[in-house]
Amino acid sequence: MNWLPEEASNLARNVDTVIWFVTIISLVFFFLITVVLVFFAIKYRRKSGEDETPYITGNHFLETLWTIVPSILVLVIFAYGFIVFKQMRTPPQEALEINVIGKQWLWQFQYDNGKTTINELYVQQNRPVKLIMRSEDVIHSFFVPAFRVKQDLLSGMYTYLWFTPTKVGVFDLYCAEYCGAAHSKMLGKVIVMSPEAYERWRKGEEREEQKGVASISPVQLGEQLYQQRGCNACHTIDGTPSVGPSWKGLFGHEVTLQDGTKVTADENYIRESILEPQAKLVKGYQPVMPSFKGILTDEEISAIIAYIKTLK
Amino acid sequence: MANHTVAETIHVPYLEEKGILSWILSTDHKRIGIMYLVSISTFFVLAGIAALLVRLELLSPGKTIVDAHTYNVLFTFHGSAMVFLFIVPGIAASFGNFLIPLMIGARDVAFPRLNLLSYWLYLLGTVIILFSLLKPADTGWTFYTPYSIQTGTDVILLTFGVFILGFSSILTGLNFIVTVHKLRAPGMTWHRLPLFIWSSYATAILQLLATPVLGITLLLLIAERVFGIGFFDPAKGGDPILFQNFFWFYSHPAVYIMIIPAMGVISEVIPVFARKPIFGYKAIAYSSLAIALISFLVWAHHMFVSGMSEVAATVFSFLTFLVAIPTAIKVFNWLATLYKGSIELRTPMLYALSFIFLFTIGGLTGVFLGTLAADVHLHDTYFVVAHMHYVMIGGTVMGFFAALHFWYPKMFGKMYNEAVAKVAWFLVFVGFNVTFFPQFILGMEGMPRRYADYPPQFHTLHEISTIGSWILGLGILIMALNLLRSLTNGEKAPDNPFNSLSLEWQIPSPPPHENFEKIPHVTDWTYGYGKKNNQEG
């Protein structure tokens, strides 16, 4: 019975050993206390109102014993936890550095060769990685259970973490620090590739990106941005309302605002809603959308509008 | 004549006078205690309903009943109401007010009018917090910046309400400290004090010293939101983790404000129903103080992955383990008290034994979180949620329920239905474990907390947890109905139904307005159960 996830980094086994060590000590104490509790409750249950009970107020030997034994055990646990923690906080010199930016509500990864990915972190098996992280708004926390790593991202201060992925595969990435309406949608994947596949990914994606910029239509660009900029965390394209209104059938239709007035969702309304989300809030929704001013270019906003137009 | 009239007023039970004014203007510590009891129980129910809705939303992945924002509002209300309106005032303000003068042989607390002011401030705070629900906050009860600066919801009213509640807490703490120092009956020496008094005293010190820091922190937060002064927001030149340091500097000691009074209750209930003196009186008494003092030095164990330096993390991990020792000592002492006892499993005792069992789990899982390497994986997951609820419900609320069933006859002069109370206990115990045990597993598997939605691999455990919350809710409902019904329909309670030696049981149930006809002379401690000439440890 192992409740811990698959061990997919060099740190995972060490962390798990600490957790198991604490678990075993805890189970010993837990069973000791429970057995004594239940045993006493049954053995010494009241037979009659005249039961005689001894007058025992303490026992120096026992009290010393159960002060010293837990003291020693917790010191050992502390030391063990510290030793592994030190390893977790000491990245090797040769680690590949990747910049991580967290913002409501997406992850952005910037690689040494200038590439950028959204919500998907590409790393190479058995190669140490050091993530240098910052937030663009509130606190987020980078958490990959399979790697046993977690670190908060702050604005105004860099934080880091490191790991060496040991297994090829796709692993869940969560935001572990509450960051607002779509906190539970701030999900990503870590894609661990074999060295050869990693090289192919680097080259292949680069080519695709170069040709992409020139040839994709505004609608296609809008569709990409919908994923990449995290619009999908709050806006569906199938008509179900989520944190924000669905984009399906939005364009050209009337929406009712908080104050009861009605406006038509045209190009200018959508543009304003992206740049100043709180200016005209649709009734029934909370003022939680962050502004994309300075994040999306005019060209990109036009592309998103073009994409919304296709969602009838 | 003159003497005659005095004697008569002394014998009037404190519940006799009717009318709302006779309550809200009363400076009688017993009435104030009852008013706190009613108020905190009301918020326990309201915040509990919010918790049931949170669990219902998590029954299945995707949207079940509410959208993500409403979910965030629900867990924020659940957390802040449970913490600031129920569990922090909690046992200390309700049972503390009612019992402290009775247990030490006094007629009232040291400053009765200040005591009433504390209650009014509590009411004012609750009213402000209820107003904040017009645009309810979605920050979580921890108000972390910069999110709490940025969100459009009403953080200011909520935190201002909490600020006012802080004054209530500080004044109550001050009152209790002076009362215990100055108003003990002749012969009631420090080492004869009931352990509930020791724990209330330790709690009062924490309230007095830690709460001002919360007040200042919340004022700074309000100043930042209203005037844009950059204390916390890095964009304005603030420090990104300063708020967390300030917040936990109060909120970790506050955890002990919540739990130490419950430990006091357990130390009272177990000797009575085991007919044994408490084992290791001084160890229990001084461990309360030790826990209170060390609790000021462990706050940053909430911040191991916050970006704080590794050196600080290491120091705080070490100090955190020190707090485990006095806590373990208490558990062993309670167990040893049961040895060779004559144990009667009445409802208060069932809750007290449940406390030992559940609090042990809560405490041991705390060791995981104090361990640096383990905490990195478990921090901000459901493991923390489960640990915290094992300590807060398994500990404090079990202690609260034990107190409720133990002192109910004294407070209201009525007996509740014992069989129904036991059924309720069983449902509470089972429901609690079904709700929260699966959350340890969820956390180990990596399920983050405060998620309105979750990936499908976590579905089964969430489902079990939600079903458990219904059992727990049903148990509490039955308990509440039993206690409410017994107010009018219960049998008349004897003065000392459980045969306790403590002073509050030596006077009528319910107690007369002036508590004691004559201030008692105390000649022995309150735990003289068992046959003295038999064995001495």
Side-chain angles (χ1 to χ4, degrees):
Chain A
M1 186 168 58
N2 190 353
W3 296 332
L4 292 159
E6 179 185 0
E7 292 171 346
S9 82
N10 65 319
L11 305 169
R13 172 55 55 88
N14 295 344
V15 172
D16 288 5
T17 318
V18 172
I19 292 179
W20 279 113
F21 180 66
V22 181
T23 306
I24 288 163
I25 291 178
S26 299
L27 283 178
V28 169
F29 274 89
F30 171 71
F31 281 115
L32 201 80
I33 290 168
T34 310
V35 166
V36 171
L37 181 71
V38 174
F39 177 74
F40 283 179
I42 294 170
K43 181 164 166 55
Y44 301 122
R45 72 185 181 280
R46 186 165 303 175
K47 280 109 197 160
S48 76
E50 279 83 57
D51 284 358
E52 270 192 13
T53 51
Y55 188 79
I56 305 171
T57 58
N59 180 312
H60 285 300
F61 172 73
L62 272 179
E63 289 180 66
T64 316
L65 185 74
W66 68 46
T67 308
I68 289 177
V69 171
S71 304
I72 294 170
L73 285 175
V74 294
L75 286 181
V76 173
I77 295 173
F78 159 73
Y80 193 11
F82 167 69
I83 291 165
V84 174
F85 182 66
K86 199 161 168 253
Q87 183 205 8
M88 299 171 89
R89 300 303 298 161
T90 317
Q93 290 290 331
E94 74 276 13
L96 176 71
E97 292 189 351
I98 299 174
N99 284 307
V100 181
I101 296 164
K103 56 186 164 196
Q104 289 166 323
W105 289 280
L106 60 88
W107 300 96
Q108 189 175 320
F109 303 101
Q110 295 169 338
Y111 303 82
D112 57 342
N113 61 353
K115 283 171 61 67
T116 298
T117 58
I118 302 285
N119 289 342
E120 287 178 346
L121 171 63
Y122 292 86
V123 291
Q124 181 183 327
Q125 187 192 12
N126 293 331
R127 181 165 180 193
V129 181
K130 180 179 178 184
L131 304 181
I132 298 167
M133 312 197 289
R134 68 185 173 87
S135 164
E136 282 198 353
D137 36 56
V138 301
I139 303 173
H140 303 283
S141 193
F142 182 96
F143 176 34
V144 181
F147 297 168
R148 313 288 188 274
V149 294
K150 185 183 289 121
Q151 176 63 50
D152 286 5
L153 286 72
L154 306 167
S155 78
M157 184 177 147
Y158 292 104
T159 55
Y160 71 92
L161 64 76
W162 82 278
F163 55 88
T164 306
T166 52
K167 286 187 183 164
V168 172
V170 179
F171 302 97
D172 289 330
L173 157 65
Y174 299 104
C175 175
E177 182 63 62
Y178 175 69
C179 59
H183 170 52
S184 57
K185 301 286 179 194
M186 190 164 162
L187 307 174
K189 297 280 178 206
V190 182
I191 294 129
V192 183
M193 307 165 109
S194 65
E196 309 79 54
Y198 188 72
E199 276 313 304
R200 271 202 306 279
W201 166 77
R202 280 172 60 131
K203 290 180 183 142
E205 284 274 306
E206 263 163 26
R207 272 203 306 276
E208 206 168 274
E209 213 170 82
Q210 279 160 2
K211 90 179 166 223
V213 175
S215 67
I216 64 171
S217 69
V219 174
Q220 283 168 319
L221 177 62
E223 190 173 359
Q224 277 181 12
L225 289 167
Y226 170 71
Q227 303 282 345
Q228 288 172 356
R229 291 294 169 183
C231 313
N232 58 347
C234 302
H235 302 281
T236 67
I237 51 170
D238 62 1
T240 39
S242 179
V243 177
S246 176
W247 285 1
K248 187 180 180 182
L250 172 66
F251 190 84
H253 285 80
E254 246 184 16
V255 292
T256 311
L257 304 181
Q258 295 253 283
D259 58 5
T261 56
K262 292 186 161 81
V263 294
T264 303
D266 58 8
E267 285 90 347
N268 281 320
Y269 172 76
I270 294 174
R271 182 188 159 81
E272 184 187 46
S273 296
I274 292 172
L275 297 175
E276 309 252 358
Q278 266 68 270
K280 291 193 183 119
L281 202 62
V282 179
K283 197 181 174 103
Y285 294 93
Q286 301 297 325
V288 291
M289 179 168 156
S291 166
F292 283 81
K293 203 181 275 177
I295 296 173
L296 294 172
T297 63
D298 283 342
E299 193 197 351
E300 287 171 328
I301 291 172
S302 306
I304 289 172
I305 295 170
Y307 174 57
I308 292 175
K309 284 181 184 172
T310 66
L311 301 167
K312 296 206 176 83
Chain B
M1 292 120 355
N3 279 346
H4 183 72
T5 26
V6 169
E8 268 190 348
T9 49
I10 281 172
H11 285 109
V12 173
Y14 82 103
L15 290 171
E16 199 69 10
E17 211 180 332
K18 302 281 186 250
I20 182 91
L21 282 183
S22 78
W23 282 91
I24 61 167
L25 296 177
S26 171
T27 55
D28 182 342
H29 68 99
K30 299 183 288 302
R31 287 194 161 216
I32 293 174
I34 298 292
M35 288 194 286
Y36 271 116
L37 184 62
V38 171
S39 313
I40 64 168
S41 301
T42 307
F43 285 103
F44 176 70
V45 170
L46 289 178
I49 290 170
L52 287 172
L53 293 174
V54 163
R55 280 303 338 155
L56 188 57
E57 172 56 35
L58 295 171
L59 179 63
S60 51
K63 183 179 161 175
T64 311
I65 49 163
V66 293
D67 62 40
H69 175 75
T70 313
Y71 175 86
N72 297 340
V73 164
L74 280 173
F75 79 67
T76 301
F77 175 72
H78 165 69
S80 38
M82 277 295 185
V83 170
F84 297 112
L85 300 179
F86 168 65
I87 209 162
V88 163
I91 293 173
S94 58
F95 289 98
N97 255 310
F98 190 90
L99 292 172
I100 288 173
L102 295 180
M103 281 184 163
I104 64 173
R107 296 208 190 278
D108 207 321
V109 293
F111 308 112
R113 274 175 294 184
L114 192 66
N115 202 17
L116 183 61
L117 177 66
S118 300
Y119 180 70
W120 285 353
L121 287 172
Y122 171 83
L123 274 193
L124 179 64
T126 61
V127 169
I128 295 173
I129 288 175
L130 289 177
F131 264 106
S132 82
L133 293 181
L134 291 173
K135 209 172 156 196
D138 66 339
T139 58
W141 75 277
T142 46
F143 312 121
Y144 271 19
T145 58
Y147 186 71
S148 57
I149 308 279
Q150 182 213 63
T151 175
T153 59
D154 207 334
V155 178
I156 294 179
L157 266 190
L158 176 58
T159 48
F160 187 65
V162 173
F163 177 75
I164 298 289
L165 290 174
F167 280 94
S168 165
S169 195
I170 293 168
L171 294 178
T172 301
L174 177 78
N175 218 335
F176 287 176
I177 289 174
V178 179
T179 305
V180 174
H181 271 276
K182 305 305 284 185
L183 297 186
R184 282 171 288 127
M188 182 60 93
T189 56
W190 283 90
H191 286 154
R192 285 178 183 161
L193 284 173
L195 288 164
F196 182 75
I197 301 296
W198 274 100
S199 67
S200 300
Y201 183 75
T203 307
I205 293 175
L206 287 176
Q207 286 177 308
L208 194 65
L209 296 181
T211 316
V213 179
L214 177 73
I216 293 163
T217 309
L218 297 178
L219 273 194
L220 294 179
L221 178 65
I222 292 170
E224 178 149 344
R225 266 190 83 105
V226 178
F227 306 113
I229 305 169
F231 298 110
F232 306 122
D233 187 353
K236 301 190 185 89
D239 183 308
I241 56 177
L242 181 65
F243 181 85
Q244 294 178 40
N245 276 304
F246 280 179
F247 182 81
W248 290 114
F249 187 86
Y250 164 76
S251 293
H252 199 78
V255 170
Y256 294 95
I257 292 177
M258 304 171 202
I259 190 73
I260 293 176
M263 293 170 161
V265 171
I266 303 309
S267 301
E268 296 305 319
V269 170
I270 285 180
V272 171
F273 293 97
R275 312 312 298 168
K276 281 278 306 294
I278 190 85
F279 188 95
Y281 172 89
K282 282 188 190 169
I284 295 184
Y286 291 117
S287 65
S288 290
L289 288 182
I291 292 173
L293 295 178
I294 304 170
S295 75
F296 276 105
L297 305 172
V298 301
W299 78 87
H301 68 211
H302 297 265
M303 300 166 57
F304 290 159
V305 300
S306 69
M308 178 177 74
S309 85
E310 284 80 18
V311 179
T314 306
V315 171
F316 279 102
S317 169
F318 177 78
L319 291 167
T320 299
F321 280 111
L322 295 186
V323 122
I325 298 160
T327 315
I329 290 173
K330 278 184 194 277
V331 171
F332 296 135
N333 281 323
W334 291 323
L335 278 183
T337 305
L338 298 175
Y339 175 68
K340 287 196 172 173
S342 165
I343 297 168
E344 191 183 12
L345 294 178
R346 300 284 288 264
T347 311
M349 188 62 162
L350 287 172
Y351 280 114
L353 298 182
S354 310
F355 175 104
I356 298 179
F357 175 79
L358 300 172
F359 182 74
T360 298
I361 299 177
L364 288 170
T365 49
V367 173
F368 287 75
L369 297 170
T371 308
L372 287 163
D375 182 65
V376 171
H377 178 61
L378 298 171
H379 180 76
D380 270 337
T381 68
Y382 265 71
F383 191 91
V384 176
V385 178
H387 157 72
M388 181 226 307
H389 284 88
Y390 265 84
V391 175
M392 291 295 119
I393 302 183
T396 307
V397 175
M398 290 298 143
F400 179 66
F401 290 168
L404 210 50
H405 289 88
F406 185 53
W407 283 293
Y408 183 93
K410 179 57 58 186
M411 286 179 147
F412 303 108
K414 299 280 178 153
M415 298 302 290
Y416 47 84
N417 184 313
E418 182 77 21
V420 175
K422 281 182 176 166
V423 170
W425 163 80
F426 181 75
L427 291 173
V428 166
F429 183 78
V430 171
F432 171 77
N433 283 294
V434 176
T435 309
F436 291 101
F437 197 82
Q439 297 186 2
F440 284 122
I441 308 172
L442 277 172
M444 283 207 168
E445 289 179 348
M447 167 80 206
R449 65 192 286 206
R450 296 179 167 178
Y451 265 34
D453 193 9
Y454 52 84
Q457 71 259 32
F458 300 123
H459 184 190
T460 310
L461 288 167
H462 272 301
E463 209 170 47
I464 297 170
S465 180
T466 300
I467 292 168
S469 73
W470 300 335
I471 304 173
L472 177 59
L474 181 67
I476 292 173
L477 179 70
I478 293 174
M479 184 195 80
L481 291 178
N482 185 28
L483 294 179
L484 288 175
R485 192 174 171 277
S486 303
L487 285 179
T488 49
N489 292 27
E491 276 176 47
K492 191 180 167 358
D495 290 350
N496 193 359
F498 306 123
N499 239 334
S500 166
L501 296 178
S502 188
L503 281 180
E504 79 273 21
W505 294 104
Q506 316 313 321
I507 54 173
S509 302
H513 179 66
E514 297 288 322
N515 297 350
F516 301 94
E517 199 171 337
K518 257 177 74 184
I519 293 295
H521 274 258
V522 180
T523 52
D524 198 4
W525 70 337
T526 43
Y527 300 107
Y529 305 100
K531 211 170 157 203
K532 262 194 184 167
N533 52 7
N534 194 344
Q535 274 170 297
E536 295 240 8

